[in-house]
Amino acid sequence: MNYPLLLNALISLIVGVALVLVWRRNPQQTFTRYLGWSNLVQLLIPASYWLTLHGNPTLRLVGMVALPVVSAAYSSLMVLGASQLADRPVRPPTMAVFAAVILAINVGSLLQGDLRIAQTLSATVGTAIGLLCCYWLWFAGNRNFGPSRMTGILITALGLNQFTFALLGADGVALQASTATLIRVALGLVLIYAALQRSAQETVRLRERFERLTDRSHQGIIIRQKERIAYANPAALAIYGASGKDDLSVVMVARSIPRPERESIGKLLQEIESGQRDDASYDALRYRKDGTPMWLRFHCFGTEWDGAPAMQVLIADDTERHQATQALLHQALHDELTGLPNRNALIQQLRERCKAPADNPAPFVLMLLDIDRFKLFNEAHGHSVGDKVLKAFGHALRTSVDARHAVMRLGEDEYAILSADGNNSAMAVELATTVRGLLGKPLPVADEVFFLDASMGIALYPHSGQDAESLLRAANAAMHVAKRTPGTSYTLAEKEFERGSSNMLEQEQALRAGIERGEFHLAYQPKVDAHTGALTSFEALARWNRPGFGAVSPLEFIAAAERTGLIAALGSTLLWQACAQIAQWHATYGSCVPVAVNVSPLQLLDPRFPQLVEQALEDHGVAPQWLTLEITESSAVQNLDQTVAQVAQLRALGVHVAMDDFGTGFSSLNMLRTLRLHTIKIDRGLIDPLPAPESIAVVRAICQLAQALHLHVVAEGVETTAQAEAARDAGCGELQGYLYAKPLSPHDAGQWLAQHTEHHTVIT
């Protein structure tokens, strides 16, 4: 057995595996990969050579093919490894040409059939590769020093060692193998040392880069290891006000933490150090070494430092941003003029205090104050004086009430007082007394003094409301009730005030939907002849049966329709219904009586109203004499010129016009003459006192006036026989009221009309 060859193969294996493992550990050391694999590939050369000497033609052919390929691969890997070690990587096209040339040389030498010639060519190639490596490592601008330069010499030595067989033949095999073993051991050690040296240099470079980054970072960085600070960058030292790393200790950092937080922060850091948590982030108030407060943002996570577990803490000084945020928050929650908390602050505090359990509420008082007639200050003295008054009043309120109560400015001249928890009834009295006492004295403003009055609305929690919005509504509604009383006054919110004006808004919203869904209908109240009691006409009265709420008073929904501008749409709807009903009665009974429809003053302001009436009559095929429009006395007085023009157009259409509620306004004889009405309806307020002599005299005077102007007279609100007889004797031609019938459904009104038609036919 040739032990030198066996030992050489073993050393190649060991060195090759070691270098490949070094590369696996640190992939950046690419030269160890190529040189490691070159040693492993070199193991195949003896095996391939042995196959070329085998008697079996097939095995010999395999050896003849494998030997030049393996030799070329070995040489190529050596070149690649050496170029990577010299930091002169060979480009793939160049490497491909080199491998092809080496392969061609190996094939040519093998075809010679002389092993010594083949070995000589192989030795020449190996020596050339070694010399190339020496050039790369020693010259050509290479900056690597130390043992790595020995690599070129050792590779050259391996090439020269191959000439031993060429010179001595078979007798030199053992010597060549032994020498190659020693060279490969030395080469392996040099390469491993070079890899370690490069790793150390990379570590130093990375640390220097880390220090450059951290030293210039505005973010504080602290490495905490057990109970000591292993590293702190300049930003961290500046944040805590430490003069140097030795001045910054765990004890000092712990001392900057407020006492209530120390236990929880200590537990959090312990969980990160023990690996129970990966990281944690939090914002906190801390103090510098000199006691200056600062707002810091922390992010802590586990790391490694000098091969041992540690914790890295990133610190951002957020003091300026925090102060800016606090300033914006203060601005958002405080009034700019007076510096008092504003409406946002009030709502925020109310919501917090209303979170108490329903079974154990903490009572408190909410008072809203509105300075009466404050607009006069701005008009009389200017806005600058008005602002001074508001500021002085806010200051006076703040100094007058107990410090436990919160004083706020909600708007232009509106303030609020939110009491502390306690007996709300007693506190309400206390606050009202205090404010009234304050307003009873003159308010000094600059060189002047002013006397103020204010209206106060007081809401009690939880009696007046269960949440912030309902309390505000209740107090606001109570304040508006208080405004009805002259001078400084206050009103305690009642339970129904909790909804405040939301009922009105809700009704207005429902009104819009009701018109769209056709929820409105007409009821018809008969008017009768004052002498015979026979049916003469109907008055169409609007009705609204609101789903879920029942019947709504016309006084409410007509007012809501006028407030919201919906009266035109509602009036048109009711006019169309009335015309449709007239047409239906004509079709059913062959006849009808006039039907009166009420017209809102806002409808009369629409210049297109007469055309609207004409269109409704045409659409339903109704003759104009069957429709009467009732206007109010107040609308005629307020818009006389326009009303005169509208009435003239309606009369031209053939429509009768009546004045409703006559006697309650300020009608003049000239107005009655100018309007050219057909009918006047005496208000129920004048009919109700009948048959009192004074009332009879008033009604008789109206009837005489109407007769002189050729006007028909209707008495409305007749409820007793005595009233009916007195109205008839005074000169009223028609009577209307509960004595004869309440407003009827279209079906019941039709029965009246059927009887009237039958009676009229018999008489005819």
Side-chain angles (χ1 to χ4, degrees):
M1 180 177 292
N2 195 331
Y3 290 104
L5 288 176
L6 181 61
L7 181 60
N8 182 44
L10 182 60
I11 291 300
S12 294
L13 176 63
I14 293 173
V15 172
V17 170
L19 291 175
V20 170
L21 290 177
V22 169
W23 169 71
R24 291 290 300 274
R25 177 68 176 173
N26 187 357
Q28 292 183 343
Q29 307 285 357
T30 53
F31 71 92
T32 58
R33 174 177 61 175
Y34 295 121
L35 292 174
W37 278 107
S38 71
N39 277 273
L40 296 176
V41 169
Q42 194 270 341
L43 292 173
L44 299 176
I45 293 177
S48 301
Y49 175 69
W50 178 80
L51 290 175
T52 61
L53 302 176
H54 204 280
N56 188 311
T58 302
L59 294 178
R60 185 178 181 184
L61 179 61
V62 171
M64 293 290 286
V65 173
L67 184 59
V69 173
V70 171
S71 298
Y74 166 75
S75 300
S76 299
L77 289 170
M78 288 291 285
V79 171
L80 283 172
S83 67
Q84 293 290 334
L85 180 62
D87 294 326
R88 295 177 62 88
V90 179
R91 292 182 298 174
T94 304
M95 196 64 238
V97 171
F98 176 81
V101 171
I102 296 300
L103 181 61
I105 292 173
N106 289 337
V107 171
S109 64
L110 191 61
L111 292 176
Q112 292 291 327
D114 190 335
L115 291 178
R116 287 192 174 191
I117 295 176
Q119 187 69 4
T120 300
L121 290 174
S122 178
T124 302
V125 171
T127 303
I129 292 173
L131 293 174
L132 179 62
C133 292
C134 287
Y135 171 75
W136 280 341
L137 293 169
W138 286 82
F139 308 103
N142 181 56
R143 291 173 295 177
N144 289 317
F145 298 96
S148 62
R149 286 188 169 186
M150 294 299 296
T151 305
I153 297 174
L154 293 172
I155 294 175
T156 302
L158 283 176
L160 292 173
N161 184 53
Q162 291 181 320
F163 284 108
T164 304
F165 180 80
L167 295 174
L168 302 179
D171 295 336
V173 172
L175 177 60
Q176 180 177 325
S178 300
T179 305
T181 300
L182 295 175
I183 295 173
R184 289 192 184 281
V185 169
L187 180 60
L189 293 175
V190 168
L191 291 174
I192 291 174
Y193 183 83
L196 291 175
Q197 186 182 44
R198 288 200 172 195
S199 295
Q201 290 173 349
E202 181 67 17
T203 301
V204 171
R205 188 178 65 82
L206 291 175
R207 174 160 290 191
E208 289 176 351
R209 179 189 295 177
F210 169 77
E211 290 177 353
R212 286 197 301 271
L213 291 174
T214 57
D215 287 351
R216 298 178 183 179
S217 173
H218 295 290
Q219 190 175 48
I221 301 174
I222 290 178
I223 303 296
R224 171 175 168 166
Q225 203 167 42
K226 295 183 179 179
E227 292 302 321
R228 72 182 185 92
I229 293 179
Y231 172 82
N233 72 338
L237 298 177
I239 287 173
Y240 283 99
S243 57
K245 177 178 173 298
D246 295 335
D247 192 29
L248 186 65
S249 64
V250 173
V251 175
M252 176 187 169
V253 174
R255 219 183 279 127
S256 72
I257 304 174
R259 288 186 180 276
E261 294 183 45
R262 291 181 182 177
E263 184 178 349
S264 60
I265 294 298
K267 183 179 179 181
L268 176 67
L269 298 180
Q270 186 178 8
E271 289 177 353
I272 294 175
E273 288 180 336
S274 63
Q276 297 178 23
R277 293 185 61 164
D278 293 332
D279 63 351
S281 298
Y282 58 93
D283 298 352
L285 175 66
R286 294 292 181 264
Y287 296 91
R288 288 190 176 89
K289 187 178 180 180
D290 61 1
T292 305
M294 54 186 174
W295 196 263
L296 303 180
R297 189 168 66 251
F298 296 90
H299 181 60
C300 311
F301 53 89
T303 186
E304 183 180 320
W305 188 261
D306 291 337
M311 180 175 62
Q312 183 168 337
V313 183
L314 304 180
I315 310 168
D317 189 347
D318 227 16
T319 304
E320 291 187 5
R321 188 188 66 83
H322 179 73
Q323 290 174 346
T325 302
Q326 291 299 112
L328 289 174
L329 184 62
H330 183 275
Q331 184 178 357
L333 297 177
H334 287 77
D335 175 55
E336 184 177 358
L337 177 65
T338 63
L340 296 173
N342 59 14
R343 182 179 295 273
N344 293 332
L346 173 62
I347 294 174
Q348 187 180 81
Q349 291 191 37
L350 284 175
R351 287 175 177 170
E352 286 294 324
R353 297 178 69 173
C354 291
K355 287 181 180 178
D359 57 347
N360 186 28
F364 61 86
V365 177
L366 171 63
M367 174 187 285
L368 298 186
L369 305 89
D370 189 78
I371 300 176
D372 295 337
R373 302 175 305 284
F374 181 73
K375 186 178 180 182
L376 295 176
F377 283 97
N378 290 330
E379 293 177 350
H381 302 282
H383 288 278
S384 60
V385 174
D387 288 346
K388 292 177 181 178
V389 171
L390 293 171
K391 191 173 181 179
F393 181 65
H395 177 72
L397 269 182
R398 178 63 278 173
T399 55
S400 298
V401 303
D402 193 294
R404 298 173 301 154
H405 308 321
V407 177
M408 306 173 180
R409 182 185 177 216
L410 307 187
E412 176 67 16
D413 53 2
E414 188 176 357
Y415 294 79
I417 299 176
L418 186 61
S419 78
D421 294 341
N423 186 330
N424 53 13
S425 298
M427 279 191 180
V429 173
E430 174 192 333
L431 287 175
T433 303
T434 300
V435 175
R436 295 192 74 165
L438 171 65
L439 293 171
K441 304 173 186 177
L443 179 70
V445 179
D447 297 329
E448 300 183 67
V449 292
F450 295 99
F451 286 91
L452 303 179
D453 288 318
S455 301
M456 295 172 276
I458 302 174
L460 310 179
Y461 176 80
H463 173 74
S464 303
Q466 301 291 326
D467 54 60
E469 286 71 20
S470 60
L471 276 173
L472 275 172
R473 286 196 299 267
N476 190 65
M479 182 181 70
H480 283 287
V481 172
K483 277 188 172 293
R484 300 172 188 170
T485 304
T488 296
S489 60
Y490 69 89
T491 299
L492 187 65
E494 300 176 12
K495 186 63 180 175
E496 59 269 21
F497 286 4
E498 179 178 354
R499 294 185 60 84
S501 59
S502 63
N503 279 333
M504 182 182 297
L505 178 62
E506 186 178 302
Q507 188 178 82
E508 290 175 358
Q509 296 295 318
L511 180 66
R512 295 176 187 273
I515 294 174
E516 291 182 3
R517 292 195 290 257
E519 295 173 359
F520 292 86
H521 64 277
L522 292 172
Y524 299 88
Q525 188 172 30
K527 301 175 189 176
V528 300
D529 186 280
H531 297 280
T532 65
L535 175 68
T536 55
S537 61
F538 287 113
E539 180 180 4
L541 301 170
R543 294 293 181 263
W544 182 21
N545 191 18
R546 182 179 167 190
F549 285 81
V552 180
S553 168
L555 295 177
E556 292 184 20
F557 70 75
I558 294 296
E562 290 180 337
R563 275 197 313 271
T564 57
L566 294 172
I567 190 64
L570 178 60
S572 297
T573 298
L574 299 177
L575 178 62
W576 249 254
Q577 286 188 20
C579 290
Q581 188 62 63
I582 294 171
Q584 181 181 342
W585 280 336
H586 267 288
T588 303
Y589 305 107
S591 181
C592 192
V593 294
V595 175
V597 178
N598 291 285
V599 177
S600 166
L602 295 178
Q603 289 177 273
L604 283 178
L605 293 176
D606 185 357
R608 298 168 300 175
F609 180 67
Q611 288 75 25
L612 180 69
V613 174
E614 183 179 14
Q615 187 66 47
L617 294 171
E618 289 181 2
D619 288 350
H620 296 91
V622 175
Q625 67 267 25
W626 302 114
L627 179 65
T628 300
L629 298 178
E630 294 187 359
I631 63 175
T632 60
E633 184 180 11
S634 59
S635 67
V637 172
Q638 292 171 5
N639 307 283
L640 182 59
D641 292 341
Q642 190 164 354
T643 304
V644 169
Q646 297 282 50
V647 170
Q649 292 186 58
L650 293 171
R651 285 181 65 98
L653 292 176
V655 175
H656 285 214
V657 181
M659 178 177 288
D660 198 7
D661 302 329
F662 183 81
T664 60
F666 304 94
S667 302
S668 65
L669 293 177
N670 183 57
M671 185 195 76
L672 289 177
R673 181 183 61 81
T674 304
L675 278 177
R676 297 182 63 222
L677 301 168
H678 294 90
T679 303
I680 58 173
K681 293 181 67 177
I682 301 177
D683 185 78
R684 67 176 62 245
L686 299 178
I687 300 300
D688 197 46
L690 295 178
E694 298 84 358
S695 299
I696 292 176
V698 171
V699 173
R700 182 177 292 113
I702 293 174
C703 291
Q704 290 173 350
L705 173 63
Q707 184 178 5
L709 295 174
H710 306 288
L711 297 174
H712 189 61
V713 180
V714 179
E716 63 179 355
V718 178
E719 297 185 355
T720 65
T721 303
Q723 290 174 340
E725 292 175 352
R728 180 192 61 214
D729 294 341
C732 295
E734 281 184 279
L735 306 177
Q736 177 185 357
Y738 281 10
L739 176 63
Y740 303 102
K742 294 182 178 181
L744 305 173
S745 66
H747 176 269
D748 293 338
Q751 299 300 314
W752 274 67
L753 187 58
Q755 295 176 8
H756 166 77
T757 303
E758 180 180 349
H759 180 69
H760 181 74
T761 302
V762 170
I763 292 176
T764 302

